[in-house]
Amino acid sequence: MSFSSLQTKLKAGVISIALAATTFSSLAVHPNLVITEDDVVKMRGALDSKGLFSARYHSLKAQVDQEIAFPIVVPVPKDGGGGYTHERHKKNYQLMYRAGIIYQLSQEQKYADYVRDMLLEYAALYPSLDVHPKRKVKSQNPGKLFWQSLNEAMWLVYTIQAYDLIHDALTDQQSATIEKQLLRPVALFLSEGQPTTFNKVHNHGTWATAGVGMAGYVMNEPEWVEKALYDLDKSGEGGFLKQLDMLFSPQGYYNEGPYYQRFALLPFVTFAQAIAHNEPERKIAEHRDGVLLKAIDTTIQLSYNGLFFPINDAIKSKGIDTIELVHGVTVAYSLTNDTGYLDIAKQQGQIILSGDGLKVAQALDKGLGTPYKFKSVAFGDGSDGKEGALVIMRSQLDGDQALLFKPAAQGLGHGHFDKLTWQFYDKGEEIVSDYGAARFLNVEAKFGGRYLPENNSYAKQTVAHNTVVVDETSHFNGDVEVGNKNAPTLNFFETSEYGTVSSGEISTAYKSVELERTLALVNLKELNSTVVLDLFSVAADKAHQLDLPLHYKGQLIDTNFKLKANTKQLSALGDRNGYQHLWLKATAKPEQGLARVSWLNDNGRFYTLTSLVKGDEAFLFTQLGADDPNFNLRNEHSFIRRLSDTKQHQFISVLEPHGEYNPSKEYTLVAQSRVTNLKHSQQGKLVFVELEIADKDYLIAINKAELASKKSFKYQNKSYSLNGRLGVYLINNI
């Protein structure tokens, strides 16, 4: 039974509820996890066609044929992430999984024999292993085959599927050996042997419970399934269902951010399919109003130009073609028949050899795909959706633009201290940037492929982000536990024909300091252009130093104020909390009025941040790379607006994309900013920004009160209607 047919029967009330643990002896047919006997019959029937599914099968079969021609290698583990033995064991479980699928579809014994022989090699090795020798972090549970148990759990998730796929090709003695000496010890090691990780509401726990739970289905161990679902003592305080309840918001946003959302998606989707196929009465597809389907869709929304927004600990090259989301999109289409998912599947360029994958492939063959709709949305954070939100603003007015605003929760141990930060993207490129994680994933020469020390000393620190730093100290004083207990508040979010606007605030990032930020991606239709409006208010009970960094991608082009550059000798901007990693390249103190900083991005477009200043701000231009003896950090650029002694301040800026630079055809257009005037005022809860740009005058009104409180307003003796949070008015001579 496919995941989609399960949902149909559930809605029709065909399947009764029976949540008590039972044995699976009556269901012990193989395969019985992600791929079922019915799936295999249908997939075999499609192999002689000329469609995508058949092409993928023959391509994968050719790859597997090449790989199984070499001798089986199951080395004694000795290397950390990225090292030879780590990568060999990773390649082995992936190869066993692929060979198992090819066996089911081709019915050629050699593929089952290959998986059998490798499993027997592991069964001979595993009982002799102690914990991995490269375990270095005392607080992290080690594996035996891998340096951390997370990788061991990933090994089990794939390997138990491979075993399921070739189970019926084994003798009873072979099955007994593989289960007794390998699969059972691994499952027990990951569960009873590491209860803290197994019961933890965290992505490590997700992989562990998924692996052990699926092993329970395959090896007829219902008690393992119950423990995987409800934690080791079956209290419900941990386990897979608790993870679904706690790690996702009601909208399907994962607390650790997009990078870890896509990583955790595979065990969530895989185990859910195994549950649906073995115990449909659990109605896993309906759990929390279908939160898993929402999570798949949200993962797609959390991307721009094929890459995930790199908040928190994120490798910036990860995108929608990652295998975890390929599986997710496959299931999402099977559940919904939403042809927008076919658009994403086409971009991914990968077909999963499963029953759901066959459905996707056949729909693509028929050309049923329609454009997937990316939208402006605020994803509530936290299990109740009330711990702030991650906000995405999008515009298609002048190219493909996206603004990410983060009045979101901490995000557990992978979270960064970056409340109310933002990022901006335009014409396929990152413009206002986030560093992401300081890590060379699986590059063993760089700290064993693990997170670098600079991940803590810089990447997580507030100064590495585009938000206010008070007294050169990171939010929550860099304490993760405090951060997890204190989330920002999403004041409002609204999208309309005028653009998208959102506001968030937090009063616990610093003691007795209130931070409030309003960001708007504003459509200027007459100019066929957009601008970003940024209003950041700081209020404290005593004077502080305030820093507001902006990290930008590109080459500095111009400022309208004089820079004092350090051309002979550089020094670090500070000595702690990330400042020790910033070279101070230049300083300036613009006069009262408009301060402009322009840069050129690789997309051939210019960007200017125009700020309203009073003459009391210093601008500090920095380059990353100080106190970095091993050259671990990328040499990225930022400028920091600094006020040295103030209780209250409002940073007011507008970011303007403009012009074009084409070095190939040797022309430059509109390299100078078109903003010639910027004013700000406020009437109660109404905020007004006057913007003169390209010889046109605009009045931008933001209503910070409830929607019903203001339908119209007067500004300089003129009346304007305001239906919602954001109003944009083209005017002459205000």
Side-chain angles (χ1 to χ4, degrees):
M1 185 186 299
S2 72
F3 211 8
S4 55
S5 63
L6 163 68
Q7 189 183 54
T8 301
K9 290 190 175 185
L10 287 172
K11 290 181 177 179
V14 174
I15 299 173
S16 62
I17 300 174
L19 295 180
T22 61
T23 63
F24 312 123
S25 56
S26 62
L27 303 175
V29 294
H30 300 276
N32 72 341
L33 293 175
V34 175
I35 298 172
T36 67
E37 283 188 312
D38 288 345
D39 292 333
V40 171
V41 172
K42 293 175 183 177
M43 288 190 290
R44 287 175 183 167
L47 297 183
D48 292 331
S49 70
K50 295 182 180 180
L52 289 170
F53 190 86
S54 177
R56 173 58 181 159
Y57 163 75
H58 289 291
S59 173
L60 184 64
K61 186 175 184 292
Q63 293 175 29
V64 171
D65 284 340
Q66 285 185 324
E67 291 180 281
I68 67 175
F70 293 96
I72 292 172
V73 179
V74 179
V76 175
K78 66 176 183 178
D79 301 311
Y84 169 72
T85 61
H86 177 99
E87 292 302 308
R88 183 70 253 179
H89 290 299
K90 180 179 176 182
K91 185 175 182 179
N92 282 350
Y93 70 65
Q94 293 171 337
L95 179 54
M96 285 191 288
Y97 170 71
R98 294 195 297 264
I101 292 174
I102 298 302
Y103 165 68
Q104 282 291 333
L105 298 184
S106 70
Q107 300 176 280
E108 292 183 42
Q109 187 65 30
K110 67 176 182 179
Y111 300 105
D113 291 347
Y114 184 86
V115 178
R116 175 202 65 199
D117 292 346
M118 186 176 288
L119 287 171
L120 289 171
E121 290 278 355
Y122 272 106
L125 172 67
Y126 200 78
S128 69
L129 297 179
D130 197 352
V131 294
H132 197 281
K134 278 295 180 78
R135 178 200 180 202
K136 289 186 177 181
V137 183
K138 292 183 179 180
S139 62
Q140 192 168 46
N141 285 327
K144 292 185 176 182
L145 293 170
F146 299 91
W147 66 281
Q148 61 176 344
S149 61
L150 168 64
N151 300 95
E152 206 103 336
M154 296 170 70
W155 182 94
L156 182 58
V157 166
Y158 279 88
T159 301
I160 195 63
Q161 292 181 76
Y163 178 66
D164 178 45
L165 289 164
I166 65 131
H167 179 277
D168 291 351
L170 302 174
T171 66
D172 290 344
Q173 181 59 48
Q174 290 165 345
S175 292
T177 299
I178 292 167
E179 291 188 15
K180 181 179 180 181
Q181 295 181 204
L182 177 63
L183 297 177
R184 290 180 181 275
V186 173
L188 292 172
F189 173 71
L190 291 172
S191 54
E192 295 176 8
Q194 299 192 340
T196 302
T197 297
F198 189 78
N199 291 336
K200 192 174 185 180
V201 180
H202 185 270
N203 72 76
H204 288 211
T206 306
W207 281 96
T209 55
V212 172
M214 289 195 295
Y217 283 129
V218 173
M219 294 189 285
N220 194 24
E221 289 284 358
E223 192 71 4
W224 290 6
V225 177
E226 291 296 305
K227 290 179 178 180
L229 291 172
Y230 297 108
D231 93 4
L232 288 173
D233 63 7
K234 295 183 285 188
S235 67
E237 293 300 312
F240 186 76
L241 295 180
K242 189 71 170 182
Q243 291 159 4
L244 275 173
D245 291 341
M246 299 302 295
L247 289 175
F248 293 102
S249 75
Q251 292 170 278
Y253 174 67
Y254 187 76
N255 188 250
E256 294 180 285
Y259 180 81
Y260 277 91
Q261 175 147 342
R262 64 87 209 164
F263 178 64
L265 202 59
L266 185 68
F268 274 118
V269 168
T270 303
F271 191 22
Q273 288 180 291
I275 295 167
H277 291 148
N278 286 275
E279 296 183 279
E281 65 272 14
R282 291 190 186 271
K283 297 187 177 183
I284 192 65
E286 295 182 7
H287 188 78
R288 283 191 75 197
D289 193 30
V291 71
L292 187 55
L293 175 60
K294 294 178 182 178
I296 295 168
D297 191 72
T298 295
T299 309
I300 302 169
Q301 290 288 342
L302 293 171
S303 67
Y304 174 83
N305 195 28
L307 298 177
F308 296 121
F309 294 117
I311 62 169
N312 296 338
D313 285 343
I315 305 300
K316 299 179 78 168
S317 58
K318 284 288 186 181
I320 62 172
D321 62 347
T322 186
I323 190 62
E324 298 91 346
L325 188 55
V326 175
H327 279 275
V329 169
T330 300
V331 168
Y333 178 71
S334 181
L335 281 169
T336 66
N337 292 320
D338 184 337
T339 53
Y341 292 125
L342 297 175
D343 179 25
I344 301 300
K346 185 177 181 180
Q347 294 179 49
Q348 291 171 330
Q350 302 175 63
I351 296 297
I352 300 297
L353 296 184
S354 68
D356 292 333
L358 175 61
K359 187 175 180 180
V360 169
Q362 290 176 334
L364 287 172
D365 288 339
K366 295 176 183 177
L368 299 181
T370 57
Y372 179 85
K373 295 180 181 179
F374 288 95
K375 55 190 177 183
S376 296
V377 61
F379 289 112
D381 202 350
S383 60
D384 60 0
K386 297 179 180 179
E387 296 181 29
L390 189 69
V391 176
I392 304 171
M393 308 181 190
R394 298 186 189 269
S395 176
Q396 300 292 328
L397 187 61
D398 184 21
D400 183 15
Q401 298 178 323
L403 187 156
L404 187 78
F405 178 36
K406 195 188 176 194
Q410 181 66 29
L412 305 177
H414 287 297
H416 288 191
F417 302 101
D418 60 351
K419 303 308 101 180
L420 310 185
T421 190
W422 69 297
Q423 301 160 41
F424 182 65
Y425 299 79
D426 182 32
K427 290 192 177 295
E429 297 291 337
E430 190 178 22
I431 309 303
V432 176
S433 65
D434 188 290
Y435 190 85
R439 183 183 188 184
F440 289 82
L441 182 63
N442 285 341
V443 179
E444 190 181 24
K446 281 291 190 183
F447 207 64
R450 302 187 300 277
Y451 287 102
L452 295 160
E454 290 79 9
N455 197 57
N456 288 325
S457 63
Y458 179 73
K460 287 190 174 186
Q461 301 296 327
T462 305
V463 75
H465 304 86
N466 306 299
T467 187
V468 163
V469 188
V470 176
D471 297 330
E472 298 186 25
T473 301
S474 288
H475 296 170
F476 312 116
N477 200 28
D479 190 319
V480 173
E481 291 187 6
V482 175
N484 283 330
K485 295 176 182 177
N486 294 275
T489 298
L490 177 68
N491 293 329
F492 58 81
F493 164 83
E494 184 178 295
T495 187
S496 70
E497 61 180 308
Y498 304 111
T500 306
V501 62
S502 185
S503 175
E505 63 179 277
I506 187 168
S507 59
T508 54
Y510 299 103
K511 184 178 179 180
S512 301
V513 179
E514 295 184 2
L515 306 176
E516 180 186 9
R517 191 172 213 165
T518 300
L519 280 160
L521 181 58
V522 181
N523 294 329
L524 306 179
K525 294 182 180 180
E526 295 79 10
L527 298 177
N528 191 38
S529 184
T530 60
V531 295
V532 177
L533 186 62
D534 181 17
L535 310 173
F536 202 141
S537 298
V538 183
D541 65 349
K542 62 180 181 180
H544 295 277
Q545 175 183 290
L546 306 179
D547 288 346
L548 178 57
L550 188 134
H551 299 266
Y552 64 93
K553 286 287 191 179
Q555 176 66 45
L556 184 69
I557 294 296
D558 187 30
T559 65
N560 70 338
F561 48 84
K562 187 175 181 180
L563 299 180
K564 182 180 180 181
N566 299 315
T567 58
K568 300 296 184 182
Q569 185 175 356
L570 297 177
S571 59
L573 184 57
D575 58 11
R576 60 192 176 94
N577 300 327
Y579 283 79
Q580 73 273 25
H581 293 299
L582 295 171
W583 292 119
L584 180 59
K585 298 290 293 291
T587 59
K589 194 165 186 178
E591 296 180 357
Q592 182 173 356
L594 302 184
R596 298 190 188 90
V597 180
S598 298
W599 65 95
L600 174 64
N601 188 266
D602 287 343
N603 65 7
R605 203 172 198 184
F606 298 93
Y607 299 86
T608 298
L609 188 81
T610 300
S611 302
L612 195 59
V613 299
K614 298 178 181 178
D616 55 355
E617 291 185 39
F619 276 55
L620 313 175
F621 290 78
T622 69
Q623 180 176 311
L624 188 56
D627 193 18
D628 183 19
N630 296 312
F631 298 90
N632 288 336
L633 293 168
R634 303 188 297 268
N635 298 133
E636 298 187 352
H637 302 280
S638 68
F639 58 91
I640 300 172
R641 297 172 62 183
R642 170 173 288 182
L643 287 99
S644 296
D645 188 25
T646 188
K647 288 184 178 181
Q648 293 187 336
H649 188 73
Q650 187 164 38
F651 296 95
I652 301 168
S653 301
V654 60
L655 177 67
E656 171 203 7
H658 58 94
E660 182 183 355
Y661 173 60
N662 191 319
S664 175
K665 296 183 179 179
E666 298 187 7
Y667 69 81
T668 302
L669 302 173
V670 195
Q672 301 294 324
S673 170
R674 300 170 297 171
V675 173
T676 52
N677 193 21
L678 177 65
K679 294 181 180 179
H680 169 268
S681 61
Q682 191 159 341
Q683 296 177 11
K685 291 292 185 177
L686 279 174
V687 175
F688 301 108
V689 174
E690 295 178 32
L691 180 65
E692 185 178 340
I693 177 172
D695 298 324
K696 294 184 182 296
D697 294 318
Y698 289 91
L699 175 64
I700 302 169
I702 297 173
N703 179 18
K704 298 176 69 176
E706 292 298 322
L707 292 179
S709 66
K710 285 287 184 182
K711 295 295 185 182
S712 63
F713 63 90
K714 282 190 175 182
Y715 188 79
Q716 295 192 2
N717 297 320
K718 293 183 180 180
S719 295
Y720 301 89
S721 62
L722 179 61
N723 296 314
R725 295 287 188 186
L726 182 65
V728 181
Y729 312 90
L730 179 62
I731 55 180
N732 293 305
N733 302 318
I734 296 178

